[in-house]
Amino acid sequence: MPLDARTKLFLLLGNPVEHSLSPAMHNGAFEALGLNCAYLAAQVEKENIEAAITGMKALSIAGANVTIPHKETVIPYLDSLSPEAQQVGSVNTIINRYGHLTGTTTDGEGFYLSLQKYKANYEPGQTALMVGAGGAARAVAFALANKGAREVIVANRSESKGLELSNILLERTPLQKSLYLPLDKKGLAETLPRCDLIVYSLPFNLPEFKEALALGGPFKKNQLFFDLRYKPDRTEMMALFQEKGGDACNGLAMLIWQAVKSFETFTGQAAPVEVMQRKAGL
Ligand code: NAP
């Protein structure tokens, strides 16, 4: 569909954005459905986030995705939040309806759908270890807790953020058991054997966690290490966990499923999932 004066524009707001797969996925999906829409990536510095959101209204931008580092800082500039975004305290999707901006998050749903696709027999009532307590970890931890996890353990560098996540999970979801764990190799190595699911939510390979993997194990085949990163395909942490007998997957399918759910929020139409998967290189 050629672009014209009626083309609806969607943006990705983040920094950095140049390696993002979102424009390829969304533009591929618009094309497949013959929609007069376009999706561009916009690099937004932290100090410009308010201007970017106000600008969405001024320019009638139809919607946006939000990524690192703005998922929490956009919230004060939006007109309303979905119950999911309110609960998690994070926004990855904004929809502009006649100048009213609503923020929602599809990260948790994207994670859970990708988990179920990877492990068809995944049972919700399990023990999960979150490594990290940032925006992505929060969305995933809420999804697991809302779906009926038995226990969610939060391991994080800063105690205040780790404890905060653990406490709000207990306050805002049906979860009955949660605790905070420092990122210390001995404590982590002792905890790993009783975790069915380990969600690695740090943006880099943390030496203390590598040491914990080396100390811990052997792991069981039904223990899943889910690395939220997807570059490289098999991260060093995934390889370490697999070498000790456990199962591991990366975050590419989560990225695709959160995009699928965003696309459906943007357009109100079922997303062409296979097109989006192909565009993301799955
Ligand atoms: P974030 O909000 O910036 O969180 C960063 C986390 O890293 C926090 O827990 C922070 O701990 C920790 N951290 C930072 N520097 C550290 C250090 N030097 N030592 C120990 N811990 C440190 O990031 P995010 O949005 O949660 O993203 C996390 C990862 O998930 C990224 O790699 C991102 O690409 C990926 N992700 C993937 C998807 C997907 O769809 N697959 C979606 C979202 C994110 P403190 O609390 O102590 O600062």
Side-chain angles (χ1 to χ4, degrees):
M1 164 90 53
L3 303 184
D4 62 22
R6 278 174 301 186
T7 302
K8 283 187 177 177
L9 183 58
F10 295 86
L11 297 175
L12 172 67
L13 310 176
N15 189 12
V17 290
E18 63 266 26
H19 301 299
S20 172
L21 297 171
S22 294
M25 284 192 283
H26 285 279
N27 286 319
F30 292 144
E31 196 184 327
L33 296 188
L35 298 176
N36 189 0
C37 299
Y39 187 108
L40 295 173
Q43 180 173 313
V44 179
E45 302 293 334
K46 275 186 183 166
E47 61 273 22
N48 291 331
I49 193 63
E50 180 178 3
I53 298 299
T54 315
M56 277 184 69
K57 286 189 184 183
L59 299 170
S60 299
I61 303 294
N65 282 129
V66 184
T67 189
I68 289 178
H70 304 309
K71 286 185 183 182
E72 289 160 49
T73 51
V74 289
I75 290 178
Y77 310 115
L78 301 175
D79 299 306
S80 60
L81 292 180
S82 69
E84 295 79 20
Q86 189 105 46
Q87 188 190 46
V88 177
S90 162
V91 161
N92 81 337
T93 304
I94 300 171
I95 186 86
N96 183 357
R97 289 203 179 89
Y98 307 107
H100 181 100
L101 301 183
T102 303
T104 189
T105 177
T106 63
D107 279 337
E109 195 181 0
F111 166 80
Y112 209 82
L113 281 168
S114 69
L115 177 63
Q116 286 178 314
K117 302 275 172 203
Y118 186 79
K119 227 176 148 118
N121 58 350
Y122 182 78
E123 284 176 25
Q126 301 197 342
T127 295
L129 169 66
M130 303 301 311
V131 186
R138 283 169 76 99
V140 169
F142 271 98
L144 290 167
N146 284 326
K147 293 284 183 186
R150 181 172 53 227
E151 182 177 4
V152 177
I153 302 163
V154 182
N156 195 49
R157 172 184 62 171
S158 91
E159 184 175 351
S160 59
K161 280 199 181 163
L163 267 177
E164 187 205 353
L165 177 55
S166 175
N167 288 335
I168 60 169
L169 286 171
L170 291 171
E171 278 165 25
R172 299 183 193 172
T173 75
L175 186 71
Q176 296 289 316
K177 211 170 163 202
S178 180
L179 58 88
Y180 163 73
L181 202 66
L183 283 177
D184 137 72
K185 66 177 175 191
K186 200 162 162 280
L188 285 167
E190 282 167 8
T191 305
L192 282 168
R194 70 182 183 89
C195 299
D196 307 291
L197 175 67
I198 296 111
V199 184
Y200 192 80
S201 323
L202 299 182
F204 61 94
N205 292 322
L206 183 78
E208 290 89 326
F209 194 77
K210 240 156 84 175
E211 287 165 16
L213 288 179
L215 266 180
F219 301 114
K220 296 191 271 306
K221 259 205 227 119
N222 60 359
Q223 281 184 285
L224 176 62
F225 183 89
F226 197 126
D227 198 325
L228 295 189
R229 299 168 299 170
Y230 45 87
K231 279 182 188 156
D233 286 353
R234 187 175 182 237
T235 66
E236 201 181 338
M237 296 298 190
M238 287 168 62
L240 282 170
F241 197 76
Q242 286 169 327
E243 279 157 20
K244 290 206 147 189
D247 191 7
C249 69
N250 69 23
L252 184 59
M254 170 180 170
L255 179 85
I256 295 166
W257 283 102
Q258 64 75 30
V260 163
K261 293 296 149 190
S262 277
F263 182 91
E264 293 179 350
T265 305
F266 289 152
T267 64
Q269 298 196 34
V273 176
E274 280 174 22
V275 171
M276 295 178 82
Q277 287 173 324
R278 202 172 57 245
K279 293 287 180 183
L282 191 70

